[in-house]
Amino acid sequence: MHAGEHHSPALLTSENIWNAATALCLGGILSLYVVGLTRLWRSEGGRHTIRRWQAAAFFIGWAAAAIALLSPLDRWSDVLFSAHMAQHELLMLVAAPLMVAGRPFIVMLWGVSASQRELIASAARRIEKPWELLTGPVTVLALHAVVLWVWHVPALFESALRSESVHAFQHLGFFVTAALFWWALIHGRYGRLGYGVAVLYVFATAMHTQILGALLTFGTRIWYPTHAARTTAAGVNALNDQQFAGVLMWIPFGVVFLCIALALFAAWLGEAERRVVIARGENG
Protein backbone atom coordinates (compact mmCIF):
# COMPACT_ATOMS: atom_id res chain seq x y z
CA MET A 1 0.00 0.00 0.00
CA HIS A 2 1.36 3.40 -0.94
CA ALA A 3 2.30 5.56 2.02
CA GLY A 4 -0.34 8.16 2.83
CA GLU A 5 -2.87 6.77 0.33
CA HIS A 6 -5.95 4.58 0.41
CA HIS A 7 -6.32 2.05 -2.36
CA SER A 8 -9.56 0.79 -3.81
CA PRO A 9 -10.24 -2.97 -3.61
CA ALA A 10 -10.08 -3.10 -7.42
CA LEU A 11 -6.53 -1.64 -7.46
CA LEU A 12 -5.39 -4.00 -4.73
CA THR A 13 -6.84 -6.91 -6.69
CA SER A 14 -5.00 -5.73 -9.81
CA GLU A 15 -1.72 -5.49 -7.88
CA ASN A 16 -2.19 -8.97 -6.45
CA ILE A 17 -3.03 -10.43 -9.84
CA TRP A 18 0.07 -8.93 -11.45
CA ASN A 19 2.30 -10.00 -8.54
CA ALA A 20 0.96 -13.55 -8.84
CA ALA A 21 1.44 -13.54 -12.61
CA THR A 22 5.01 -12.24 -12.21
CA ALA A 23 5.81 -14.90 -9.61
CA LEU A 24 4.40 -17.63 -11.87
CA CYS A 25 6.40 -16.39 -14.87
CA LEU A 26 9.64 -16.17 -12.90
CA GLY A 27 8.98 -19.57 -11.33
CA GLY A 28 8.30 -21.13 -14.73
CA ILE A 29 11.47 -19.65 -16.24
CA LEU A 30 13.58 -20.88 -13.33
CA SER A 31 12.05 -24.37 -13.41
CA LEU A 32 12.56 -24.71 -17.16
CA TYR A 33 16.16 -23.54 -16.87
CA VAL A 34 16.94 -25.94 -14.02
CA VAL A 35 15.37 -28.91 -15.85
CA GLY A 36 17.14 -28.00 -19.08
CA LEU A 37 20.49 -27.46 -17.37
CA THR A 38 20.23 -30.80 -15.57
CA ARG A 39 19.49 -32.65 -18.82
CA LEU A 40 22.14 -30.77 -20.75
CA TRP A 41 24.88 -31.42 -18.19
CA ARG A 42 24.00 -35.12 -18.19
CA SER A 43 24.47 -35.27 -21.97
CA GLU A 44 27.83 -35.75 -23.64
CA GLY A 45 29.67 -32.45 -23.89
CA GLY A 46 26.90 -30.59 -22.09
CA ARG A 47 29.20 -29.03 -19.53
CA HIS A 48 31.27 -27.54 -22.34
CA THR A 49 28.15 -25.99 -23.88
CA ILE A 50 27.09 -24.22 -20.70
CA ARG A 51 29.88 -23.44 -18.25
CA ARG A 52 29.38 -23.21 -14.51
CA TRP A 53 29.93 -19.45 -14.55
CA GLN A 54 27.21 -19.05 -17.19
CA ALA A 55 24.70 -21.01 -15.13
CA ALA A 56 25.68 -19.02 -12.04
CA ALA A 57 25.23 -15.77 -13.99
CA PHE A 58 21.71 -16.80 -14.98
CA PHE A 59 20.71 -17.67 -11.41
CA ILE A 60 22.10 -14.39 -10.05
CA GLY A 61 20.31 -12.47 -12.81
CA TRP A 62 17.06 -14.32 -12.06
CA ALA A 63 17.42 -13.47 -8.37
CA ALA A 64 17.95 -9.80 -9.28
CA ALA A 65 14.74 -9.84 -11.34
CA ALA A 66 12.87 -11.44 -8.44
CA ILE A 67 14.18 -8.80 -6.04
CA ALA A 68 13.22 -6.02 -8.43
CA LEU A 69 9.69 -7.28 -9.04
CA LEU A 70 8.61 -9.22 -5.95
CA SER A 71 10.52 -7.84 -2.95
CA PRO A 72 9.59 -4.82 -0.78
CA LEU A 73 11.53 -2.77 -3.34
CA ASP A 74 8.54 -3.15 -5.68
CA ARG A 75 6.17 -1.71 -3.06
CA TRP A 76 8.53 1.16 -2.25
CA SER A 77 8.91 1.88 -5.97
CA ASP A 78 5.31 3.11 -5.94
CA VAL A 79 6.21 5.62 -3.23
CA LEU A 80 9.79 6.74 -3.91
CA PHE A 81 11.00 7.61 -7.39
CA SER A 82 14.54 6.65 -6.31
CA ALA A 83 13.29 3.14 -5.41
CA HIS A 84 11.53 3.01 -8.77
CA MET A 85 14.79 3.90 -10.49
CA ALA A 86 16.69 1.27 -8.49
CA GLN A 87 14.12 -1.28 -9.62
CA HIS A 88 14.69 -0.37 -13.26
CA GLU A 89 18.47 -0.45 -12.80
CA LEU A 90 18.25 -3.99 -11.41
CA LEU A 91 16.19 -5.12 -14.39
CA MET A 92 18.33 -3.49 -17.09
CA LEU A 93 21.85 -3.54 -15.66
CA VAL A 94 21.86 -6.71 -13.55
CA ALA A 95 19.04 -9.11 -14.42
CA ALA A 96 19.07 -8.70 -18.20
CA PRO A 97 22.83 -9.07 -18.91
CA LEU A 98 23.36 -11.88 -16.39
CA MET A 99 20.39 -13.91 -17.58
CA VAL A 100 21.45 -13.42 -21.20
CA ALA A 101 25.01 -14.53 -20.30
CA GLY A 102 23.49 -17.80 -19.04
CA ARG A 103 22.39 -18.67 -22.63
CA PRO A 104 18.77 -19.30 -21.63
CA PHE A 105 17.52 -20.18 -25.12
CA ILE A 106 19.84 -23.17 -25.41
CA VAL A 107 19.30 -24.36 -21.85
CA MET A 108 15.51 -24.03 -21.84
CA LEU A 109 15.27 -25.91 -25.12
CA TRP A 110 16.60 -28.89 -23.16
CA GLY A 111 13.85 -28.33 -20.63
CA VAL A 112 11.17 -29.49 -23.11
CA SER A 113 10.68 -32.84 -24.84
CA ALA A 114 12.72 -33.85 -27.87
CA SER A 115 9.73 -33.43 -30.21
CA GLN A 116 8.97 -29.96 -28.85
CA ARG A 117 12.65 -29.10 -29.17
CA GLU A 118 12.56 -29.99 -32.87
CA LEU A 119 9.47 -27.86 -33.46
CA ILE A 120 11.01 -24.86 -31.68
CA ALA A 121 14.34 -25.30 -33.50
CA SER A 122 12.52 -25.46 -36.84
CA ALA A 123 10.57 -22.29 -36.04
CA ALA A 124 13.76 -20.56 -34.92
CA ARG A 125 15.45 -21.34 -38.23
CA ARG A 126 12.58 -19.66 -40.09
CA ILE A 127 13.02 -16.41 -38.15
CA GLU A 128 16.81 -16.39 -38.27
CA LYS A 129 17.07 -13.43 -40.65
CA PRO A 130 14.49 -11.26 -38.82
CA TRP A 131 16.29 -12.10 -35.58
CA GLU A 132 19.59 -10.91 -37.04
CA LEU A 133 17.94 -7.65 -38.07
CA LEU A 134 16.32 -7.24 -34.64
CA THR A 135 19.65 -7.73 -32.86
CA GLY A 136 21.72 -5.59 -35.24
CA PRO A 137 23.69 -2.73 -33.64
CA VAL A 138 21.55 0.12 -34.93
CA THR A 139 18.30 -1.67 -34.08
CA VAL A 140 19.18 -2.56 -30.48
CA LEU A 141 20.64 0.87 -29.86
CA ALA A 142 17.51 2.61 -31.19
CA LEU A 143 15.05 0.28 -29.44
CA HIS A 144 16.75 0.57 -26.07
CA ALA A 145 17.02 4.36 -26.36
CA VAL A 146 13.44 4.92 -27.54
CA VAL A 147 11.92 2.70 -24.85
CA LEU A 148 14.03 4.28 -22.11
CA TRP A 149 13.27 7.87 -23.08
CA VAL A 150 9.63 7.41 -24.05
CA TRP A 151 8.74 5.75 -20.75
CA HIS A 152 10.25 8.72 -18.88
CA VAL A 153 7.91 11.15 -20.62
CA PRO A 154 5.77 12.42 -17.70
CA ALA A 155 2.40 11.44 -19.19
CA LEU A 156 3.46 7.84 -19.81
CA PHE A 157 5.36 7.46 -16.54
CA GLU A 158 2.36 8.81 -14.64
CA SER A 159 0.07 6.32 -16.39
CA ALA A 160 2.35 3.51 -15.22
CA LEU A 161 2.01 4.77 -11.65
CA ARG A 162 -1.78 4.73 -11.84
CA SER A 163 -2.23 1.39 -13.62
CA GLU A 164 -0.62 -1.92 -12.69
CA SER A 165 -1.18 -3.21 -16.24
CA VAL A 166 0.68 -0.27 -17.76
CA HIS A 167 3.36 -0.60 -15.08
CA ALA A 168 3.89 -4.27 -15.98
CA PHE A 169 4.11 -3.32 -19.68
CA GLN A 170 6.71 -0.67 -18.80
CA HIS A 171 8.85 -3.21 -16.93
CA LEU A 172 8.52 -5.69 -19.78
CA GLY A 173 9.68 -3.07 -22.28
CA PHE A 174 12.70 -2.15 -20.16
CA PHE A 175 13.72 -5.77 -19.62
CA VAL A 176 13.15 -7.04 -23.17
CA THR A 177 14.98 -4.18 -24.91
CA ALA A 178 17.84 -4.41 -22.40
CA ALA A 179 18.02 -8.19 -22.95
CA LEU A 180 18.17 -7.66 -26.73
CA PHE A 181 20.92 -5.08 -26.25
CA TRP A 182 22.99 -7.39 -24.04
CA TRP A 183 22.34 -10.41 -26.26
CA ALA A 184 23.69 -8.51 -29.28
CA LEU A 185 26.70 -7.47 -27.21
CA ILE A 186 27.47 -10.88 -25.68
CA HIS A 187 26.33 -13.44 -28.25
CA GLY A 188 25.57 -11.55 -31.44
CA ARG A 189 27.75 -11.09 -34.48
CA TYR A 190 28.41 -7.50 -33.41
CA GLY A 191 29.47 -8.60 -29.93
CA ARG A 192 32.33 -11.06 -29.75
CA LEU A 193 33.01 -10.89 -33.50
CA GLY A 194 32.75 -7.15 -33.92
CA TYR A 195 34.40 -5.44 -30.98
CA GLY A 196 34.78 -2.10 -32.72
CA VAL A 197 31.07 -1.80 -33.48
CA ALA A 198 30.22 -2.96 -29.95
CA VAL A 199 32.42 -0.23 -28.44
CA LEU A 200 30.61 2.42 -30.48
CA TYR A 201 27.10 1.47 -29.46
CA VAL A 202 28.07 0.92 -25.82
CA PHE A 203 29.45 4.46 -25.72
CA ALA A 204 26.35 5.78 -27.51
CA THR A 205 24.05 4.05 -25.00
CA ALA A 206 26.13 5.33 -22.08
CA MET A 207 25.86 8.87 -23.41
CA HIS A 208 22.09 9.02 -23.81
CA THR A 209 21.38 7.31 -20.47
CA GLN A 210 23.77 9.67 -18.68
CA ILE A 211 22.06 12.66 -20.30
CA LEU A 212 18.70 11.47 -18.95
CA GLY A 213 20.22 10.89 -15.52
CA ALA A 214 21.82 14.33 -15.53
CA LEU A 215 18.53 16.01 -16.46
CA LEU A 216 16.88 14.38 -13.45
CA THR A 217 19.83 15.10 -11.15
CA PHE A 218 20.07 18.81 -11.91
CA GLY A 219 16.39 19.41 -12.52
CA THR A 220 14.66 21.89 -10.21
CA ARG A 221 11.08 21.02 -11.17
CA ILE A 222 9.07 17.92 -10.33
CA TRP A 223 8.65 15.61 -13.33
CA TYR A 224 6.04 13.26 -11.90
CA PRO A 225 3.40 14.83 -9.61
CA THR A 226 1.91 11.47 -8.58
CA HIS A 227 5.28 10.26 -7.34
CA ALA A 228 5.88 13.62 -5.65
CA ALA A 229 2.58 13.40 -3.76
CA ARG A 230 3.33 9.88 -2.55
CA THR A 231 6.92 10.75 -1.63
CA THR A 232 5.83 13.81 0.33
CA ALA A 233 3.16 11.76 2.14
CA ALA A 234 5.93 9.35 3.18
CA GLY A 235 7.85 12.26 4.74
CA VAL A 236 10.54 12.54 2.05
CA ASN A 237 11.41 15.66 0.05
CA ALA A 238 10.12 14.94 -3.45
CA LEU A 239 12.70 17.00 -5.34
CA ASN A 240 15.60 15.47 -3.40
CA ASP A 241 14.22 12.02 -4.12
CA GLN A 242 13.95 12.82 -7.84
CA GLN A 243 17.52 14.10 -7.92
CA PHE A 244 18.76 11.00 -6.11
CA ALA A 245 16.95 8.90 -8.71
CA GLY A 246 18.85 10.80 -11.39
CA VAL A 247 22.14 10.01 -9.66
CA LEU A 248 21.17 6.33 -9.55
CA MET A 249 20.63 6.37 -13.30
CA TRP A 250 23.62 8.55 -14.11
CA ILE A 251 26.41 6.90 -12.14
CA PRO A 252 25.62 3.14 -12.26
CA PHE A 253 24.77 3.27 -15.97
CA GLY A 254 27.90 5.32 -16.66
CA VAL A 255 30.24 3.11 -14.62
CA VAL A 256 28.88 -0.18 -16.00
CA PHE A 257 28.96 0.95 -19.62
CA LEU A 258 32.37 2.58 -19.25
CA CYS A 259 33.86 -0.65 -17.86
CA ILE A 260 32.27 -2.70 -20.63
CA ALA A 261 33.41 -0.26 -23.31
CA LEU A 262 36.98 -0.33 -22.00
CA ALA A 263 36.96 -4.13 -21.89
CA LEU A 264 35.63 -4.31 -25.46
CA PHE A 265 38.18 -1.74 -26.61
CA ALA A 266 40.99 -3.80 -25.06
CA ALA A 267 39.60 -6.94 -26.73
CA TRP A 268 39.39 -5.06 -30.02
CA LEU A 269 43.06 -4.07 -29.79
CA GLY A 270 44.00 -7.62 -28.81
CA GLU A 271 42.06 -9.05 -31.75
CA ALA A 272 43.77 -6.63 -34.14
CA GLU A 273 47.17 -7.59 -32.74
CA ARG A 274 46.43 -11.31 -33.13
CA ARG A 275 45.43 -10.76 -36.74
CA VAL A 276 48.70 -8.92 -37.43
CA VAL A 277 50.70 -11.77 -35.86
CA ILE A 278 48.79 -14.37 -37.89
CA ALA A 279 49.27 -12.38 -41.10
CA ARG A 280 53.00 -12.07 -40.46
CA GLY A 281 53.24 -15.80 -39.79
CA GLU A 282 51.44 -16.64 -43.02
CA ASN A 283 53.64 -14.24 -45.02
CA GLY A 284 56.78 -15.46 -43.33
Side-chain angles (χ1 to χ4, degrees):
M1 184 172 291
H2 305 316
E5 291 187 3
H6 295 287
H7 288 264
S8 67
L11 181 56
L12 289 175
T13 300
S14 177
E15 290 176 355
N16 291 335
I17 288 172
W18 277 110
N19 286 338
T22 300
L24 284 173
C25 288
L26 285 174
I29 290 170
L30 180 63
S31 299
L32 197 58
Y33 192 90
V34 169
V35 171
L37 186 66
T38 302
R39 289 177 179 173
L40 182 59
W41 277 359
R42 286 176 179 172
S43 68
E44 184 178 353
R47 290 186 180 273
H48 295 291
T49 303
I50 303 296
R51 307 285 184 176
R52 288 182 181 274
W53 71 265
Q54 291 173 314
F58 177 87
F59 291 130
I60 295 170
W62 181 92
I67 291 170
L69 300 173
L70 298 175
S71 75
L73 178 63
D74 181 54
R75 292 192 293 274
W76 276 106
S77 71
D78 290 329
V79 180
L80 300 176
F81 184 33
S82 55
H84 208 149
M85 187 63 72
Q87 186 182 39
H88 295 167
E89 297 289 292
L90 276 175
L91 287 173
M92 291 187 286
L93 283 182
V94 181
L98 289 177
M99 290 178 74
V100 165
R103 305 183 75 181
F105 294 154
I106 293 174
V107 176
M108 289 193 286
L109 269 178
W110 282 79
V112 299
S113 65
S115 58
Q116 291 173 321
R117 200 180 308 151
E118 281 296 322
L119 287 174
I120 295 171
S122 176
R125 283 192 289 270
R126 286 196 292 271
I127 63 168
E128 186 175 353
K129 287 186 177 180
W131 177 256
E132 286 185 359
L133 291 174
L134 183 63
T135 57
V138 175
T139 307
V140 293
L141 175 61
L143 276 175
H144 191 48
V146 168
V147 168
L148 186 66
W149 280 83
V150 165
W151 274 115
H152 283 87
V153 171
L156 287 177
F157 203 98
E158 287 271 305
S159 68
L161 293 174
R162 292 190 293 265
S163 167
E164 283 298 313
S165 299
V166 177
H167 198 185
F169 188 68
Q170 180 193 53
H171 285 166
L172 184 64
F174 283 149
F175 181 81
V176 169
T177 55
L180 285 173
F181 177 89
W182 292 111
W183 191 93
L185 189 66
I186 297 170
H187 301 303
R189 57 198 175 104
Y190 294 103
R192 294 175 300 166
L193 302 181
Y195 293 118
V197 176
V199 168
L200 288 176
Y201 71 71
V202 166
F203 269 122
T205 302
M207 287 297 295
H208 79 73
T209 53
Q210 285 184 304
I211 289 171
L212 181 56
L215 289 173
L216 286 165
T217 302
F218 296 111
T220 57
R221 297 179 63 184
I222 293 296
W223 284 27
Y224 312 115
T226 301
H227 245 319
R230 295 173 181 175
T231 302
T232 302
V236 179
N237 183 282
L239 185 58
N240 289 345
D241 181 59
Q242 178 177 292
Q243 291 171 338
F244 181 51
V247 171
L248 286 177
M249 169 174 275
W250 189 4
I251 296 178
F253 259 108
V255 170
V256 169
F257 281 119
L258 178 61
C259 290
I260 291 171
L262 289 175
L264 287 169
F265 187 70
W268 186 21
L269 293 178
E271 183 67 20
E273 186 176 340
R274 282 192 294 274
R275 288 177 181 175
V276 170
V277 170
I278 292 172
R280 286 176 178 173
E282 290 175 352
N283 293 332

